[in-house]
Each structure stands twice: as structure tokens, then as C-alpha cells.
Amino acid sequence: MGKIKALIRKKVLNRYKLTRLRHTKRWLITQNNRIKHWYNVKLDAYLMAKYREHNELPEIKGIEETLETIVQNKCSIARFGDGEIGLIFGKGIGFQKNDKELGERLASVLRSDVSDHMLIGISEWIFNSNFGTYPEYRLKYLKSILNLLLPGKTYYSADISRFYKTTPDGHDGLNQICLLKEIWDGRSVILVEGEKSRMGVGNDLLDNAKSIRRILCPAENAFSHYEEIYTTTLDKASKDDLILIALGPTATVLAYDLFLAGYQAVDIGHADISYEWFLRDVSDPSGRVVIAGKYVNEVGGGNQVEDINDADYEGQIIAVITDE
């Protein structure tokens, strides 16, 4: 009996030691990650200060000025965020697998300078350590990104499709929305979007457009169907139409190619989802939620989208490009 008790005590003690060891290991890993992040933040701030000191960072116009330029001059815009930059360097994202051709096309668009009416948008946070986010990203990619940019070229804000009630710098989301809606005010719009994006459905974001026609594309890995998307858009659009594109990194390339073909094309990105969050009083990225009936790639479960029954929406669809 005594041997059995001793054996049980030994097993319990060993299990306790193993549990403590696991907890200690997790704690050490957490502390190590915190130290690494703290170091990266400090190094990032130091290097960014050096880049600014030597005028090596690009000029990026603000959100309002970018929107005003698009409205006043009927400009096109191709936008680059972390997803597009990552694909240039061979890193896929949740809804777009890595694709060598796409990466090469994105790099070509980023370093292009074809016209003052073809704006290249870049997210400001990529070059601003004051945002306090993504220091590891900048340390890994910044020098390579700068090598792709043209010295002396003026770039524009890629963040025209991102807005909240207010931001820490006092940015007014409502004013941004009003400027954004001026882009399509009274215009005949062709909307090239993912099949579950449903931009403007269930809200008034596009209510001031003269008309809306939709070309639905695969929600994921759309670039695999690029030629069909491009030729279908050319077939359905007239030169007087405004083409809005909500199709991830594929939209960046498509907006550029459509501009070269003589159209005004705006890579509109997450504007609809941002507007849905705005209407729900989401004040910062931590409050982002799933939107029923719409594809939301930045929220867990957001790619599980139910069907909708909306006659107006169905009547706007003029073409469907599928994976089949």
C-alpha cells in the first residue's frame, strides 16, 4: 500500500513539475517577444529619424488632399498597403495566394510614373514610426520598398478607404466619407468587386451615384482570373463610366491597366466595410466586427458569408466571373 501511495505521489509531483516547466517556458517566450518588440520599436524609430534627416522618405499627400485631387481632376488611383507590398516580396495574404506574376505587376505599378492623372497611393504608416505599429514590418521591408520608389515623385494616400469616427490625430471620418462620395456623385458606376463584397448594399454609400452596374469576381485569388476580369470590364464599360474596384491586390493592377486603356478607375478597397463600421460607431481597429451578408477578410469568420435576397442588387449584376 505504501509503495502504491509513493508511486502516486511521484506521478503527481512529476506532473506538477512538468506543468510548472511549461508555464515557465511560456512566460520566458512571452518576455522574450516583448523584449524583441521593444528593441524593434526603438530601432525602428531611430532608423526612421535617420531616413527623415536625409530626406530619403517619399512625399505622401494626406487623405483629404488625395480625395480632392481625384474629385477635381477625375484621377485614377492604384493603392498599396501591407498586403500589396508583401506580395511584391513573395508573401501571400489570406484571400490572395502568392503569385509571381502578380508580385511583378505590383512592383511595376509601384515604380510607374505615366501621368499626373494616375495616382499611386501608399499607406502612410509604412513610413511613419509615430503610428507605433508594424516596426518589424518596416525593419524587414522598408529599404526594399524605398528602392522601388521614384526619387522626387509625389505619392498619395492609400488610406482613403479607411475611416473611423475619429482617429488619435484628430482625423474626421465623416468629412472623409463626404469627400469620398463626391468621386461618384452623379456618375454612372461600374463596380468590379468580389462576389460577396456587395459594396453599398444595405447602406447609402453609393446612393448618390447616377447608376450602378456590377461585375462579380471570385472573392479569393482573383488574380488567377485577371485576363477575364480585364476584358469583361472593357466589354461592359464606356469611357464615361467611373470604374470602382474592390478586389484586393488585383484592384491595384486593374486600376492601372484600365487607366492606360482610357478609363477612370479607382481602387476603392475596404470603403464599404469601413463605412459599415463607421455606422456602428467603431472607433478603432480593435472594434472591427463581421458584417452580415458581406465578405470581411480582416475579422475571424468574415469569409463565411450567407446569401442575400435583394432584387435591386441582383438587377445591377451585368457579369459574373467564377472559379469554375
Side-chain angles (χ1 to χ4, degrees):
M1 191 70 174
K3 290 183 178 180
I4 294 175
K5 288 183 178 180
L7 184 60
I8 292 173
R9 281 197 296 269
K10 184 177 180 180
K11 287 185 176 180
V12 171
L13 181 61
N14 287 341
R15 186 174 297 173
Y16 171 76
K17 288 180 178 178
L18 181 60
T19 302
R20 286 293 302 273
L21 182 62
R22 287 171 176 167
H23 285 317
T24 301
K25 183 179 180 180
R26 290 194 197 102
W27 182 85
L28 288 172
I29 291 173
T30 300
Q31 293 302 110
N32 184 53
N33 289 338
R34 287 175 178 172
I35 292 170
K36 283 183 177 179
H37 181 70
W38 176 87
Y39 173 79
N40 286 337
V41 168
K42 298 298 183 182
L43 178 61
D44 176 48
Y46 171 78
L47 292 176
M48 292 301 291
K50 287 295 182 182
Y51 279 123
R52 283 192 292 272
E53 181 182 338
H54 293 92
N55 295 316
E56 295 180 36
L57 298 179
E59 177 189 3
I60 303 177
K61 298 295 185 181
I63 292 172
E64 281 82 6
E65 187 170 355
T66 298
L67 289 169
E68 289 168 355
T69 301
I70 295 171
V71 172
Q72 293 169 8
N73 301 317
K74 290 189 176 181
C75 293
S76 296
I77 184 169
R79 302 178 310 108
F80 288 82
D82 58 334
E84 288 74 23
I85 297 297
L87 282 159
I88 289 175
F89 299 113
K91 182 179 179 182
I93 55 179
F95 59 98
Q96 176 60 62
K97 65 183 179 181
N98 180 38
D99 185 299
K100 182 179 179 182
E101 182 184 356
L102 175 55
E104 292 172 349
R105 288 299 321 276
L106 287 168
S108 176
V109 173
L110 183 57
R111 58 174 171 255
S112 67
D113 189 19
V114 295
S115 168
D116 290 340
H117 284 74
M118 180 66 248
L119 311 184
I120 303 300
I122 305 176
S123 288
E124 184 183 353
W125 63 262
I126 294 176
F127 304 100
N128 192 343
S129 59
N130 291 333
F131 278 89
T133 56
Y134 301 107
E136 290 83 6
Y137 184 95
R138 278 189 291 271
L139 290 173
K140 185 175 182 179
Y141 292 119
L142 184 58
K143 189 171 182 179
S144 297
I145 295 170
L146 290 174
N147 288 335
L148 288 172
L149 303 182
L150 299 178
K153 178 178 172 64
T154 297
Y155 293 88
Y156 291 81
S157 176
D159 301 318
I160 57 173
S161 63
R162 301 279 187 171
F163 38 82
Y164 300 94
K165 289 291 184 182
T166 56
T167 58
D169 61 0
H171 178 71
D172 182 358
L174 180 58
N175 183 57
Q176 181 177 338
I177 293 167
C178 292
L179 284 170
L180 191 71
K181 293 184 70 164
E182 286 187 33
I183 295 175
W184 50 80
D185 188 42
R187 300 286 300 276
S188 295
V189 172
I190 294 257
L191 182 52
V192 184
E193 62 176 351
E195 61 179 335
K196 303 294 185 181
S197 297
R198 296 165 180 157
M199 182 175 177
V201 176
N203 61 50
D204 64 351
L205 185 61
L206 299 176
D207 282 6
N208 61 320
K210 180 180 179 181
S211 63
I212 301 169
R213 289 171 289 160
R214 299 174 186 267
I215 298 173
L216 304 189
C217 308
E220 298 182 352
N221 300 316
F223 192 75
S224 298
H225 304 268
Y226 185 78
E227 287 305 317
E228 185 178 1
I229 294 170
Y230 176 68
T231 56
T232 300
T233 305
L234 292 182
D235 180 59
K236 299 296 184 181
S238 73
K239 296 294 179 67
D240 293 328
D241 290 328
L242 168 67
I243 303 174
L244 300 179
I245 315 167
L247 206 58
T250 300
T252 305
V253 177
L254 184 59
Y256 179 81
D257 286 349
L258 289 172
F259 170 81
L260 294 181
Y263 298 84
Q264 184 188 5
V266 174
D267 171 7
I268 201 65
H270 290 80
D272 181 70
I273 295 302
S274 290
Y275 188 55
E276 292 281 5
W277 289 333
F278 178 89
L279 295 175
R280 288 163 174 75
D281 291 322
V282 173
S283 58
D284 62 72
S286 65
R288 295 180 292 197
V289 295
V290 170
I291 305 298
K294 299 187 177 187
Y295 189 103
V296 185
N297 70 285
E298 296 182 342
V299 179
N303 61 344
Q304 304 299 315
V305 186
E306 65 272 25
D307 292 332
I308 64 171
N309 183 16
D310 188 311
D312 290 339
Y313 166 73
E314 296 291 340
Q316 294 168 352
I317 300 171
I318 57 174
V320 179
I321 297 165
T322 66
D323 284 318
E324 299 176 358

